[in-house]
Amino acid sequence: MDTRWRNTRNNRPLKVAAFILCCILAFSTFFFLIRIVHFSYQCRPEMNRGALFGNIEDSSFTNSSIFTRQLYNDLEMISDMANYYKNDEYVDSGAAFRPREQELVQQMKDQIKSDIRDAKIALLDEMSRHDEGTGRYYYPGYSQDESLIPENYSNEITVIKGAEYYNGVPLMSVVVDEDEITERVKKEYQGIINSERLDLTRRYRNTAEHISGIKNLSYIVINRNTGEIYTNFNGSVSKDANLLSMVDKDKWSLAVQNGKFSYGSPVYNNDGNQDYYDDYRKIDLDMYLSERFIGDNLDIFLMVNTDADTLVEGDGYYKAFNQYTKTYDHIKLFTSLFIASFVLCLAAFGFCCAMAGETDENGKVKLAKIDRVYTSIHFIISLSLFITGAVLVATFSKDIVQEFDGEISLWATSFTSAIGAAAAAVGTQWAMSVVRHVRNGTLLKHTLTNVLIVKNYERIKMVLSFEKAKHIRTKVVGIASVAVAVNLFLIMLLAVSVASGNGFFSTVFFGLIIIFDLAVIYMVKSSIKALDDLMEAIIQAQEGKFGVEISVSSMPLYLRDFAQRIVNLRDGMKIAVDEAVKGERMKTELITNVSHDLKTPLTSIISYVDLLKRCDLDDQTALSYIKVLEEKSGRLKKLIEDLVEASKASTGNVNMNITKVNLSELAVQLTGENEEELRAMGIDMRISVPQEAPIVLADSQKAFRAIENLMSNISKYAMPGTRVYVEVGRDNGYGFISIKNVSKDALDIPVEQLTQRFVRGDAARSSEGSGLGLSIAENLVTLQDGEFNIELDGDLFKATVKFKLDQELDL
Amino acid sequence: MYNVLICDDDEAILESVDIYLKLEGYNVIKAQDGMQAIKAAQENELHCIILDIMMPRLDGLNTTLKLREKQNIPIILLSAKGEDTDKITGLSFGADDYVTKPFNPLELIARVKSQIRRYVSLGSIGRSEGVIVTGGLELDTGAKILRLDGDEVKLTATEYGILEYLCQNMGRVLSTQQIYEAVWNEPSYTTEKTVTVHIRRIREKIEINPKEPKYLKVVWGIGYKMEKY
């Protein structure tokens, strides 16, 4: 089972498809939902939850807002007709327009008055401004009653004794008389009045036409004041008739009196008033139907035919009925689709969640990239996006479903549904991420707060812990805290003193703060300086300088012990170093002295062997013994000399006199010195030098000694009849001389051992030589910052000596 | 008959040197410490003194100082200390030569001979124009002759040319290239091996121990110079 789920979980295309499907289904869910709600609004003025889930059985045409809207529209037209337009004659004579005309003229007169007054004020302003240049105040109304000029000269209109004044000038005095205004109204506004009147006539014609086109409605309007009756009812209607009793219930299925509905056969209650159908619509219709007509003192009675069988074709009610029927059919389909979409969407969502997180063979969950976002952050972002989406969907849906004008906007619905789908996508991906984290066991561990705490655990622990410092006394921390507290306290006192305006205490506290802070700064600085001194002493000691003075007594108390320990440590170190240096020197001295003591007797041996040679000896055996003595004494001499040199070179007890040395010159000189000797042994020397001689930094004498040792090795160990190659060149900042020769004995020793003291190419040590040559050479070269390198390739022996190139010259 | 003082605290060395010097026909006076040496120098007319440095009572260096207060006799120091600094110290104390132990007896004798010859003949040869002198070496540029401690040394024309150029630039270090260009009188494009071979031959002719030349010195990696005495 595990494998099957894993295969599905790791099937990325399938999961992507499921996710997209979920989004699409969310889209369709929202789409159908909006349409259902919209229908519910069309059917009823208020939301009926039953309609949302397809329960629209109690819905009927007369119940729907489609019908209500139509009825309201007609009612308004009929009441307008009964109240204002009345009939053609009334409109044509201008009587219908009169109230409106009077209202218009009054408005225009007021406008003209106000215009004239504004013009006057502007003029007065201009006049007073005119004389400001002279520096004198100019009051336009001074020639009038000066006592009326207010003391505080003002540009505002002042009312004095019921009359308006502006800068002391009575404004009313400048307003022209009524006749002139009427004249101006006629002149300037007659066009507007005429167009308004035409407009009224046009509206009357439209209304009359509409009313005459009504087929499924019968109306009776009685003006209770005048007794006028306006109706399309084909029967006689008297002023005091009981209208309800006149209803032919077969023909009219609904009657409305003054905005109050009754269905079928009206019911009378005890007090003789009609018992109105009591439902929620009454409140609405009461508000916008009945009150209005009562105010106009009209008695309006409507009879409506809403029966599908007898409905007459060709008017608003017929259309409304058809629209209602169509929508009603749609809603059944949409409800099924909505339910299907919703269920499938949930299924897709569930699948996405269940299959979230690819899994490897070990059942370990592979987190997606988005999962790197801390779960808490992810939750907050997803939630806010989701809520934003939900709010947008709710807002847009409300606008859409409350749109009463028939057809719903497909574009707006799609757009809103898309937002809903996006919100669903956000929610789904969050849920999937949660599932992945849960399966991985990291949901709570990966929250931002948790991660922050884990990452800074050590720091948090340190701040919170009460662990004592091992060496710095806790007092130091205490002193620092006290210093901060005292400072804050002093600042507080200063603030209080300043606030209470006490100059003396303010000065005192200010001074105290300065003195206290300077003391604290002094303490901090001396602490830091003491630490710095200690650091300097340690750094210098590490570089071999032990002379830096540490004055322990002037250290801060908490550092004294530490400083004393450092002094002790340093002194101990100095003694150790001195001892080591002394020991090394003594070793070299010992070797020098011993060799010196060896040399004196050796001198005698050499001399006497030579003298013995000169004696007249016939015994061949004796002569051969003398020869052995001579050889071995010579060997001993060489050994002693090399021993001293090797000991000095290996301890670095050699003074180096570094100068610029021409390696080509050195190589040529060496060749010149050794060539003849080697040739005598049948060894040919080949030398190759570069066009431009490498100039290196070396001690010329010591460099020669090193290379001479190599040369002497050649004379000892090179195979006669072979060639020796000396090459000079430069390599990566170094100049080098390499010497290659073929060894006469097999070199069966590791390269590293060759440069060790007393190691020779021949294990038997039969040949001459001390075994120190290469060791001395290596030490001497290394002491000059050079490199000494030996390579063995079968019997081929290659020694390379490198010295640093003189950069100055090379550049 | 020249008188040579040999002074060493080691009997065996004293004896052996005595034998060699006597073989060469010198009159040998022996001393075992500095005091004896000074005494002997006062009592005898000496032509050369061989002094060991490490001696009881008065060491070789201080003896040299004392002797140099009055006399100009050639002094050869004998020591087991072979360092350059030791040699320099010895020479600066007024010694004329420095031989390290263990020495080749024949080399010591050659040095004694050289010192005596120069000491005795000094001043007897007139200093004429064109004669360059350093220590026991005289180069007569007029006659194109080289004399070592008064004896003429046979040189080839090239050897003479090199020597003359070196002597004209006494004390200066000259590279093989410079020497080649001056002596062969043609440009040198690379470091010349020819020069080093010639110089080696010259050294064999004028130096007692060519490995430790007194006059014609090698400055390794730089060139050659004629030491000025």
Side-chain angles (χ1 to χ4, degrees):
Chain A
M1 143 157 179
D2 274 335
T3 324
R4 204 182 67 217
W5 285 125
R6 204 175 69 220
N7 286 344
T8 321
R9 277 186 173 133
N10 293 348
N11 188 342
R12 203 174 277 186
L14 179 73
K15 280 160 73 181
V16 170
F19 185 80
I20 293 171
L21 188 69
C22 179
C23 295
I24 293 170
L25 287 168
F27 176 87
S28 61
T29 306
F30 277 106
F31 188 87
F32 295 127
L33 180 62
I34 291 167
R35 299 215 62 157
I36 293 165
V37 177
H38 179 240
F39 171 76
S40 129
Y41 264 85
Q42 289 214 325
C43 288
R44 289 148 176 245
E46 263 190 21
M47 173 83 95
N48 178 356
R49 286 190 186 80
L52 264 180
F53 300 101
N55 181 12
I56 49 170
E57 294 307 317
D58 60 342
S59 169
S60 70
F61 176 54
T62 52
N63 239 349
S64 73
S65 56
I66 298 174
F67 170 75
T68 315
R69 222 161 49 231
Q70 184 65 39
L71 185 67
Y72 174 71
N73 190 30
D74 288 351
L75 250 174
E76 196 159 64
M77 289 198 167
I78 290 161
S79 75
D80 277 353
M81 191 59 111
N83 217 8
Y84 304 124
Y85 309 129
K86 297 192 198 287
N87 48 48
D88 286 1
E89 194 192 324
Y90 192 69
V91 171
D92 290 344
S93 69
F97 186 58
R98 192 134 304 133
R100 172 69 184 149
E101 189 181 13
Q102 282 166 358
E103 187 191 344
L104 268 176
V105 168
Q106 192 53 46
Q107 272 177 14
M108 286 161 180
K109 280 181 179 173
D110 289 348
Q111 180 66 43
I112 288 166
K113 273 187 192 172
S114 150
D115 284 355
I116 290 170
R117 207 181 63 166
D118 286 350
K120 182 63 184 172
I121 287 170
L123 184 67
L124 289 173
D125 257 353
E126 189 62 35
M127 285 166 71
S128 68
R129 222 176 285 130
H130 186 255
D131 241 32
E132 269 172 18
T134 63
R136 290 184 296 127
Y137 285 108
Y138 174 72
Y139 305 104
Y142 74 97
S143 61
Q144 312 264 326
D145 188 359
E146 282 193 40
S147 67
L148 293 178
I149 298 171
E151 268 194 21
N152 292 327
Y153 177 80
S154 156
N155 271 345
E156 281 163 17
I157 289 167
T158 335
V159 180
I160 303 168
K161 292 178 186 169
E164 280 185 312
Y165 284 84
Y166 183 81
N167 288 353
V169 182
L171 288 173
M172 294 309 286
S173 66
V174 300
V175 175
V176 283
D177 64 311
E178 288 292 320
D179 289 346
E180 194 188 335
I181 292 171
T182 316
E183 200 61 31
R184 279 185 63 177
V185 168
K186 275 198 180 133
K187 211 168 86 189
E188 291 169 26
Y189 294 108
Q190 196 56 52
I192 294 171
I193 290 168
N194 287 345
S195 79
E196 281 262 353
R197 189 173 169 173
L198 279 174
D199 206 34
L200 182 116
T201 314
R202 192 168 45 76
R203 281 208 307 276
Y204 162 71
R205 302 263 178 255
N206 288 346
T207 309
E209 196 186 335
H210 179 85
I211 289 172
S212 66
I214 292 175
K215 287 168 178 152
N216 296 303
L217 178 83
S218 180
Y219 57 88
I220 301 166
V221 182
I222 303 168
N223 191 324
R224 299 286 181 201
N225 290 349
T226 61
E228 276 178 290
I229 296 172
Y230 176 65
T231 183
N232 66 348
F233 189 66
N234 46 353
S236 69
V237 180
S238 73
K239 188 187 160 194
D240 303 313
N242 185 346
L243 296 169
L244 271 175
S245 63
M246 290 161 62
V247 177
D248 175 359
K249 291 187 183 77
D250 293 334
K251 195 175 173 189
W252 309 105
S253 44
L254 181 68
V256 186
Q257 186 170 32
N258 288 349
K260 290 171 183 174
F261 282 71
S262 63
Y263 287 87
S265 41
V267 180
Y268 293 88
N269 59 14
N270 295 338
D271 57 339
N273 287 325
Q274 200 170 337
D275 186 15
Y276 302 111
Y277 192 77
D278 183 29
D279 73 355
Y280 48 87
R281 289 173 300 126
K282 193 181 130 209
I283 306 156
D284 295 321
L285 291 170
D286 267 350
M287 272 170 63
Y288 64 76
L289 291 176
S290 62
E291 279 179 16
R292 165 171 185 162
F293 299 120
I294 290 161
D296 287 339
N297 209 10
L298 292 175
D299 200 350
I300 300 180
F301 187 74
L302 302 173
M303 287 167 285
V304 196
N305 179 15
T306 58
D307 193 352
D309 301 329
T310 56
L311 211 56
V312 182
E313 201 177 325
D315 73 346
Y317 294 94
Y318 183 78
K319 270 193 224 159
F321 183 79
N322 281 344
Q323 192 193 341
Y324 172 81
T325 321
K326 200 175 99 188
T327 315
Y328 183 77
D329 289 342
H330 275 171
I331 205 70
K332 286 178 179 166
L333 174 67
F334 288 162
T335 304
S336 328
L337 286 173
F338 162 73
I339 291 167
S341 294
F342 185 65
V343 169
L344 284 173
C345 179
L346 280 179
F349 174 77
F351 179 80
C352 282
C353 289
M355 294 300 120
E358 292 180 15
T359 319
D360 63 14
E361 295 83 7
N362 307 323
K364 207 168 158 354
V365 178
K366 201 170 122 194
L367 291 178
K369 274 179 191 164
I370 187 89
D371 296 340
R372 276 186 235 157
V373 179
Y374 298 120
T375 45
S376 48
I377 302 287
H378 191 190
F379 173 69
I380 290 165
I381 292 174
S382 300
L383 186 69
S384 47
L385 282 175
F386 191 79
I387 288 175
T388 310
V391 167
L392 284 175
V393 168
T395 315
F396 292 161
S397 315
K398 204 179 162 204
D399 286 351
I400 293 166
V401 297
Q402 288 180 347
E403 184 66 50
F404 284 106
D405 284 339
E407 282 301 307
I408 190 166
S409 161
L410 265 182
W411 187 87
T413 312
S414 306
F415 180 71
T416 310
S417 305
I419 293 172
V426 169
T428 308
Q429 65 83 21
W430 175 75
M432 286 172 78
S433 173
V434 167
V435 169
R436 281 192 294 265
H437 273 298
V438 167
R439 287 182 51 212
N440 199 31
T442 49
L443 181 67
L444 292 178
K445 277 185 205 158
H446 199 57
T447 57
L448 179 62
T449 38
N450 191 35
V451 169
L452 282 180
I453 288 170
V454 168
K455 275 195 178 169
N456 295 297
Y457 179 70
E458 286 302 321
R459 278 174 214 156
I460 293 167
K461 205 171 97 179
M462 195 183 149
V463 172
L464 294 180
S465 77
F466 293 96
E467 196 187 333
K468 272 189 184 171
K470 283 195 192 83
H471 303 296
I472 292 194
R473 295 179 194 172
T474 330
K475 235 191 263 172
V476 176
V477 181
I479 288 169
S481 313
V482 168
V484 171
V486 169
N487 210 12
L488 285 175
F489 183 65
L490 283 174
I491 289 172
M492 208 174 72
L493 286 177
L494 174 66
V496 169
S497 309
V498 171
S500 61
N502 191 324
F504 173 71
F505 278 114
S506 301
T507 319
V508 166
F509 287 131
F510 185 71
L512 275 177
I513 289 172
I514 299 272
I515 291 165
F516 181 75
D517 283 356
L518 283 177
V520 170
I521 289 169
Y522 169 77
M523 279 169 70
V524 170
K525 282 196 87 169
S526 61
S527 257
I528 289 173
K529 186 176 180 311
L531 277 174
D532 192 61
D533 286 350
L534 286 179
M535 285 179 182
E536 176 66 15
I538 291 170
I539 290 166
Q540 292 291 344
Q542 194 253 326
E543 284 171 2
K545 294 170 199 154
F546 299 102
V548 179
E549 198 167 319
I550 301 176
S551 85
V552 175
S553 56
S554 67
M555 294 268 168
L557 272 173
Y558 74 97
L559 277 178
R560 266 182 212 173
D561 184 41
F562 179 56
Q564 189 56 53
R565 277 163 198 276
I566 283 181
V567 168
N568 294 347
L569 184 72
R570 196 179 62 168
D571 290 350
M573 197 164 134
K574 185 176 178 336
I575 290 166
V577 169
D578 286 351
E579 287 285 321
V581 169
K582 203 167 134 196
E584 198 60 46
R585 199 185 299 132
M586 274 175 72
K587 199 170 104 190
T588 311
E589 242 167 51
L590 181 73
I591 292 172
T592 315
N593 288 341
V594 166
S595 66
H596 176 258
D597 288 346
L598 290 172
K599 276 174 186 174
T600 311
L602 183 62
T603 310
S604 300
I605 295 171
I606 291 171
S607 301
Y608 283 101
V609 168
D610 187 65
L611 283 173
L612 201 59
K613 239 165 64 182
R614 288 159 187 256
C615 288
D616 203 6
L617 291 175
D618 293 332
D619 190 346
Q620 282 305 310
T621 322
L623 282 174
S624 71
Y625 291 168
I626 290 169
K627 198 160 165 53
V628 172
L629 280 176
E630 192 182 15
E631 261 179 37
K632 296 303 167 189
S633 57
R635 171 100 186 275
L636 192 58
K637 177 185 167 188
K638 177 80 179 135
L639 260 171
I640 291 167
E641 279 170 358
D642 281 0
L643 187 66
V644 173
E645 197 172 3
S647 104
K648 286 187 175 175
S650 68
T651 54
N653 199 358
V654 186
N655 288 327
M656 284 294 163
N657 181 22
I658 304 288
T659 49
K660 292 175 189 175
V661 172
N662 181 337
L663 278 187
S664 299
E665 181 93 28
L666 181 62
V668 168
Q669 284 173 331
L670 274 166
T671 317
E673 295 299 321
N674 296 289
E675 199 175 24
E676 273 182 52
E677 191 189 344
L678 290 175
R679 191 172 292 148
M681 297 168 66
I683 298 169
D684 195 12
M685 265 188 109
R686 297 289 169 92
I687 175 168
S688 81
V689 294
Q691 197 71 34
E692 200 188 328
I695 308 295
V696 296
L697 292 173
D699 180 312
S700 89
Q701 187 61 33
K702 306 292 189 307
F704 154 73
R705 280 286 296 131
I707 298 166
E708 195 202 30
N709 278 346
L710 293 174
M711 285 290 182
S712 109
N713 268 2
I714 288 172
S715 67
K716 278 178 229 155
Y717 301 118
M719 167 97 93
T722 57
R723 275 180 282 272
V724 172
Y725 290 90
V726 178
E727 191 191 348
V728 177
R730 56 185 86 215
D731 169 34
N732 198 20
Y734 283 89
F736 70 85
I737 294 183
S738 74
I739 301 168
K740 278 187 278 190
N741 67 275
V742 178
S743 173
K744 88 182 138 189
D745 299 312
L747 294 165
D748 47 6
I749 321 173
V751 178
E752 314 82 65
Q753 280 187 23
L754 272 179
T755 52
Q756 286 175 9
R757 275 178 252 175
F758 304 112
V759 170
R760 283 179 293 156
D762 51 336
R765 293 181 173 236
S766 58
S767 59
E768 57 178 316
S770 60
L772 290 168
L774 288 179
S775 164
I776 293 170
E778 183 181 36
N779 284 325
L780 283 177
V781 173
T782 315
L783 282 173
Q784 298 174 58
D785 283 340
E787 284 177 18
F788 185 83
N789 192 25
I790 288 174
E791 289 167 52
L792 291 181
D793 184 5
D795 286 346
L796 186 70
F797 178 92
K798 182 182 177 187
T800 310
V801 178
K802 284 180 178 180
F803 295 104
K804 272 186 181 149
L805 279 173
D806 179 21
Q807 297 296 340
E808 205 182 308
L809 196 109
D810 218 42
L811 289 168
Chain B
M1 245 336 220
Y2 296 118
N3 297 328
V4 178
L5 173 70
I6 165 82
C7 178
D8 198 317
D9 56 338
D10 189 278
E11 286 271 2
I13 294 178
L14 212 55
E15 271 312 310
S16 64
V17 176
D18 180 40
I19 296 166
Y20 280 106
L21 287 172
K22 277 184 174 147
L23 283 173
E24 290 295 323
Y26 294 113
N27 184 27
V28 181
I29 299 157
K30 287 183 275 185
Q32 295 215 338
D33 62 55
M35 301 307 282
Q36 286 181 15
I38 290 167
K39 202 173 158 225
Q42 283 166 350
E43 287 167 0
N44 302 285
E45 193 210 348
L46 297 174
H47 297 93
C48 185
I49 302 173
I50 303 168
L51 275 179
D52 184 25
I53 290 182
M54 307 269 270
M55 286 186 302
R57 290 172 74 189
L58 189 65
D59 70 15
L61 293 176
N62 283 313
T63 312
T64 311
L65 275 180
K66 282 253 190 251
L67 290 169
R68 277 283 175 263
E69 281 172 9
K70 291 170 190 166
Q71 285 157 302
N72 194 25
I73 309 162
I75 298 174
I76 300 173
L77 287 178
L78 212 57
S79 171
K81 289 183 177 175
E83 288 299 299
D84 286 346
T85 47
D86 299 326
K87 289 182 189 171
I88 291 163
T89 315
L91 295 174
S92 63
F93 267 67
D96 294 270
D97 210 342
Y98 193 103
V99 175
T100 52
K101 288 180 187 172
F103 53 81
N104 181 346
L106 297 177
E107 186 188 329
L108 177 68
I109 302 308
R111 286 181 193 273
V112 170
K113 261 194 221 169
S114 158
Q115 290 297 341
I116 290 175
R117 199 157 43 207
R118 198 166 58 79
Y119 177 62
V120 170
S121 59
L122 196 71
S124 64
I125 295 152
R127 292 283 178 90
S128 54
E129 281 292 309
V131 179
I132 304 165
V133 181
T134 174
L137 213 58
E138 284 170 45
L139 188 76
D140 189 338
T141 51
K144 297 200 184 299
I145 289 170
L146 176 76
R147 270 187 286 272
L148 177 67
D149 300 327
D151 296 337
E152 193 184 322
V153 181
K154 296 246 182 263
L155 292 174
T156 65
T158 315
E159 283 166 4
Y160 177 81
I162 293 172
L163 209 57
E164 187 185 15
Y165 182 59
L166 283 167
C167 284
Q168 278 164 353
N169 296 283
M170 190 87 75
R172 268 184 62 197
V173 182
L174 300 166
S175 71
T176 44
Q177 211 158 339
Q178 280 175 306
I179 295 168
Y180 184 88
E181 281 172 10
V183 177
W184 275 260
N185 204 17
E186 55 186 63
S188 150
Y189 297 105
T190 175
T191 322
E192 295 292 344
K193 206 165 76 177
T194 336
V195 178
T196 62
V197 175
H198 280 288
I199 283 176
R200 195 182 127 89
R201 296 221 180 100
I202 297 170
R203 268 214 318 267
E204 274 163 8
K205 287 176 183 175
I206 65 170
E207 301 288 354
I208 293 166
N209 182 356
K211 291 269 178 200
E212 278 178 63
K214 183 182 174 187
Y215 300 111
L216 212 177
K217 292 200 167 162
V218 193
V219 185
W220 296 101
I222 300 167
Y224 299 91
K225 73 168 178 181
M226 187 58 95
E227 196 68 63
K228 186 175 175 65
Y229 289 101

